[in-house]
Each structure stands twice: as C-alpha cells, then as structure tokens.
C-alpha cells in the first residue's frame, strides 16, 4: 500500500508541475532507428532474418515448457528448487512465474509468426515460398504447444481462451498451409502429432506415413547458443550444474540420462522436437489398437533401425553421483536391477565414460518385439518405449493427460477470462492425482542391488486407457 501511495504522490507531483504531462516526456516520440519497423519491413531478405528470430523464439519456448513438463511427469524428481518449486508434485498455480513464462514464450512465437506472415514476408522483395511455409509451420507449432501443455489459451492478445482441442485443429490447418507450400517431413509429423492427441487415428496414420515417405530418418531440432544465448536450460538441469543433482531420473531411465551434455564453448546441445521415431510409434500404436500385432512389430523394428543410426555421446559424467543430497539413496552402479527387469538400466558413472543417446534411446529389443502379443502388455511396451524415446523432450507429461493453467497476469488483464473459467484450473487425471506423491518415488536396497519404482505410471495409464484424457487411440 505504501508503494501505491508513493506512486500516486509522484504522479500528482509531476502533473502539478506542468500543465501537460506529455511535455515532461512524450514516449510516442522516442524511436530507436535500429529497432523500428522500417528497419525490418520492406528490407531485402528481411523475411529470412525474421525467420532466424522465429527459430530463436522457439528455442526460448522449448526452454520454458520443457523443464516444467519433465518435472511434472514421472521422468524426473527435482531435488532442488532452482528450476521450479511446485511442479514436481503437480502443484500447478496461476501465480507460478514459470507457467507464466511458458505461456508467454509460446504466445510470442505465435505473434512473431503472424507478423512474419502479414507484415515482414509480403514486404520483402526476396520473399519465397519456403520461407512462407516456415512461417505457417511456426504458427502451427505455437498452437500445437498451446494445445499440448494448456487446456485453453487465447490465439490473440487478450483474446477469448481457445480449448486445447480447437488449438490442435487450428494447428493442423496452419500445418496444411505449410505443407501446401513446401511438404517437409517435419510438417507432416507435427500434423500427425496434433491428430494423434485428438484421437484422429486415420489422419494421424496418414500424416505419419507421409512424413516417413519423404524421409525415413528426419530430425528437426532447436538450437542453443552457449556463448550468446539462449542456452539449453534442460542441459543445465541435467548436466551443467554438476553436483547439485537437480533432476534425477527414474532408475528405469538412468541409462538415457543426461540426454543433453556439454558440447562446446559456443554451442549447447539441441533439442530434437520432431523426429522420425515419433511417426513409427504412432503407426505401431495404431496397429496395436487395431489388433494388427504383426504390422505393429514391423513398425517397432523400423523404429529400432532408426534409433541405431542416432548419435550416442561418450561423456564423462563422473561428477554425477546420484547421491549428493542423500548418500546411498539412489542406484548408482551397473549392478543394480530395476523393477525386476534385470541389469543394464543403471550405469556406473564412476568406472569411466558412459555412452548416452543424444537423440533417442530405448531398452526395447528385437526379442521384446518378437514376443509381443495383443492386449494391454503390448500397449504397455509401446508406452514404455515412448517414455524412453522422448525422455527430456516434454512428451511424457502430455501422454499423462496433464494441462497447465492460464497465468494470473493473463487473467487480470484479459476481460474474457475469470478465475474458475476453463483454462484457469489445472487438468490432472484422477488416476494421476491419486498417486501424485509417488510419481517418481523409488525404494532402493543398495546391499541387495535392487531398485523399484513405487508406482508404474505406464501401467496406470494403460489401466485407464478408456479415459478421454489419455491413450487417444484406445
């Protein structure tokens, strides 16, 4: 209250000293010639420069959504409060600044894409169809992320909140425009993902097949700049902060961590956000849901072939003790068996360098595929593989059916939104809410070399496959 009184007192003092407040400072007359619209719009190749800005903004959006999504899933437990104080137990609040930043960066990506399509591109004499396609793609990605992580978000400043389902549908429309201009495989995959989460099986399968027909091993990734920013926030959480051990993976995922590790003083590791593996998994799940196990087995064999070609980094991760905060509390050597699945899921990081998949990895084997039979066990195998392939990519959170909220700033400034409206209340499936304190909890007997997750989220998801919130093909 004292600050409010002080602010008003200062305002009245300034106004009292002048007949016209604008004579004190006319903000409308302040212009940086290097930042004006004229320095961008109408300039040759300005559309390409703007496209670089969109790529950078996507990296920022990924930074702000990815850590929240990974913390909210069962993939990681957060041992510190550096990255988030709330998400690890799905304490989703409209006042959380991290959620605000996630929504802001996604919405800024949307507005930048719109500006490119309506202003920068048409005024550039060098504007080409491939650049226009990218603008439509980024607009579609902004809506796709809005739909994946939020139950509702506006599609324009202070606009009416649009439901997740409608954001998915509008993302598909934007991606179709991109495909019409330049049919890249990642455009088709983004469309497949939107249809997948909508439960449009036939359309998701068609788009996934089109993506793979164009390139059987494509990989679209966001880049990060270690020297000038933005840096890869997830890499900091998993690797760069060393002995702080911020994010600890489930023991079943230990062999895949850290997906992101130090590259060079100039370049941070990329995030692979649209890759061919997803198309194979969509096709496999569609075939499992149709009872066509033979076809699903072929899809998963193709998946394994692609994963075998992906980069595996040999890194020194010895600083990662897995026990910084509570010595002996987490499995940290290759002699530990997890969930009665035998050895190999936990690595011994003190015995030398370790090999970590940098794009995709999995515990799935040819034998697992050969032994797959119809029923819930096949679905569990599929979703366990999805979890592994997409670790540290923000997908598991979406697969769990969880949605973030519209942030308090948007609620207060937007007359179309009130507390309690759709989008302002978190979406957490009841079967996830029932085990929220155990999502990433484990028991560990170091002497016996046995670790067990308290709950198996994959089993829970499959056991509730009839819910509209998860497993869209079932």
């Amino acid at each position: 209250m004292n600050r409010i009184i002080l602010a008003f007192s200062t305002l009245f003092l300034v106004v009292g000293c002048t007949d016209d407040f604008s004579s004190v400072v006319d903000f409308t007359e302040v212009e940086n010639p290097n930042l004006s619209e004229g320095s961008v719009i109408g300039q040759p190749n300005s559309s390409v420069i703007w496209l670089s800005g969109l790529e950078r903004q996507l990296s920022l959006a990924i930074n702000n959504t990815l850590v929240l999504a990974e913390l909210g899933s069962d993939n990681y437990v957060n041992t510190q409060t550096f990255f988030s104080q709330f998400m690890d137990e799905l304490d989703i609040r409209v006042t959380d600044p991290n959620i605000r930043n996630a929504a802001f960066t996604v919405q800024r990506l949307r507005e930048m894409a719109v500006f490119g399509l309506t202003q920068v591109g048409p005024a550039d004499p060098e504007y080409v169809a491939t650049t226009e396609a990218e603008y439509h793609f980024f607009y579609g990605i902004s809506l796709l992320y809005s739909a994946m992580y939020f139950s509702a978000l506006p599609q324009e400043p202070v606009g009416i909140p649009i439901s997740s389902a409608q954001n998915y549908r509008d993302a598909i429309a934007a991606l179709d425009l991109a495909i019409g201009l330049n049919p890249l495989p990642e455009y088709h995959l983004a469309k497949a993902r939107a249809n997948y989460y909508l439960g449009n099986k036939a359309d998701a399968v068609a788009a996934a097949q089109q993506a793979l027909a164009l390139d059987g091993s494509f990989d679209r990734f966001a880049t990060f700049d270690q020297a000038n920013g933005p840096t890869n926030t997830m890499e900091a959480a998993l690797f760069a902060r060393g002995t702080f051990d911020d994010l600890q993976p489930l023991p079943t995922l230990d062999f895949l961590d850290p997906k992101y590790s130090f590259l060079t003083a100039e370049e941070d590791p990329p995030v692979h956000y649209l890759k061919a593996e997803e198309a194979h998994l969509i096709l496999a799940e569609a075939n499992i849901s149709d009872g066509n196990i033979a076809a699903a087995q072929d899809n998963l064999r193709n998946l394994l072939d692609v994963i075998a070609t992906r980069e595996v980094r040999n890194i020194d991760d010895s600083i990662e003790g897995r026990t910084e905060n509570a010595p002996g509390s987490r499995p940290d050597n290759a002699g530990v068996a997890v969930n009665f699945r035998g050895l190999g899921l936990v690595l011994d990081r003190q015995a030398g360098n370790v090999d970590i998949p940098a794009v995709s990895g999995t515990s799935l084997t040819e034998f697992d595929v050969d032994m797959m039979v119809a029923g819930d066990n096949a679905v569990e195998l599929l979703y366990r593989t999805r979890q592994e392939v997409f670790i540290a990519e923000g997908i598991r959170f979406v697969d769990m059916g969880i949605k973030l909220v519209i942030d308090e700033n948007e609620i207060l400034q937007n007359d179309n939104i009130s507390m309690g409206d759709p989008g302002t209340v978190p979406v957490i499936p009841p079967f996830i809410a029932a085990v929220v304190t155990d999502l990433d909890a484990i028991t560990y007997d170091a002497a016996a070399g046995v670790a067990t997750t308290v709950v198996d989220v994959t089993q829970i998801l499959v056991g509730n496959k009839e819910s509209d919130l998860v497993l869209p093909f079932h």
Side-chain angles (χ1 to χ4, degrees), residues 8-18:
F8 274 104
S9 299
T10 304
L11 174 63
F12 285 128
L13 178 63
V14 172
V15 172
C17 293
T18 177

Side-chain angles (χ1 to χ4, degrees), residues 358-414:
V359 181
S360 297
T362 183
S363 63
L364 183 73
T365 65
E366 290 276 1
F367 179 78
D368 294 329
V369 176
D370 291 342
M371 294 296 102
M372 190 170 67
V373 295
D376 283 356
N377 286 341
V379 185
E380 286 184 20
L381 185 65
L382 187 285
Y383 268 80
R384 189 182 80 192
T385 305
R386 280 182 66 90
Q387 181 180 27
E388 293 173 347
V389 168
F390 299 132
I391 187 175
E393 293 178 17
I395 295 294
R396 179 69 164 187
F397 180 87
V398 188
D399 285 352
M400 290 168 64
I402 306 163
K403 301 288 187 185
L404 302 175
V405 290
I406 297 172
D407 68 276
E408 185 179 46
N409 283 7
E410 180 79 35
I411 295 170
L412 293 175
Q413 296 176 29
N414 189 335

Side-chain angles (χ1 to χ4, degrees), residues 340-358:
F340 310 104
R341 289 171 55 191
L343 305 179
L345 297 179
V346 178
L347 304 181
D348 188 343
R349 296 159 199 277
Q350 308 306 314
N353 282 14
V354 290
D355 291 330
I356 306 293

Side-chain angles (χ1 to χ4, degrees), residues 54-70:
L54 277 165
E55 292 277 8
R56 184 180 188 277
Q57 184 60 33
L58 176 64
S59 297
L60 291 170
I62 287 174
N63 268 344
N64 282 281
T65 55
L66 187 51
V67 172
L68 287 180
E70 290 302 302

Side-chain angles (χ1 to χ4, degrees), residues 292-374:
N292 191 344
I293 293 301
Q297 288 172 315
D298 287 340
N299 299 140
L300 292 176
R301 292 186 187 104
N302 292 336
L303 170 72
L304 291 175
D305 288 343
V306 173
I307 291 175
T309 69
R310 299 304 197 191
E311 179 187 8
V312 175
R313 301 197 66 217
N314 183 259
I315 64 171
D316 178 358
D317 198 30
S318 57
I319 197 172
E320 172 58 84
R322 295 285 184 235
T323 57
E324 176 67 20
N325 286 325
S329 63
R330 301 192 72 83
D332 59 356
N333 66 84
V336 176
V338 185
N339 284 4
F340 310 104
R341 289 171 55 191
L343 305 179
L345 297 179
V346 178
L347 304 181
D348 188 343
R349 296 159 199 277
Q350 308 306 314
N353 282 14
V354 290
D355 291 330
I356 306 293
V359 181
S360 297
T362 183
S363 63
L364 183 73
T365 65
E366 290 276 1
F367 179 78
D368 294 329
V369 176
D370 291 342
M371 294 296 102
M372 190 170 67
V373 295

Side-chain angles (χ1 to χ4, degrees), residues 94-147:
V94 298
T95 55
D96 188 338
N98 295 302
I99 293 176
R100 178 195 65 214
N101 292 340
F104 175 78
T105 50
V106 169
Q107 291 172 306
R108 185 176 176 84
L109 177 65
R110 181 199 67 225
E111 291 303 301
M112 288 182 65
V114 170
F115 193 72
L117 285 165
T118 60
Q119 301 293 324
V120 180
D124 180 4
E126 307 296 329
Y127 192 37
V128 295
T130 53
T131 301
E132 183 182 356
E134 285 285 270
Y135 287 168
H136 285 295
F137 168 71
F138 281 113
Y139 181 70
I141 288 294
S142 73
L143 298 183
L144 180 64
Y145 278 29
S146 296

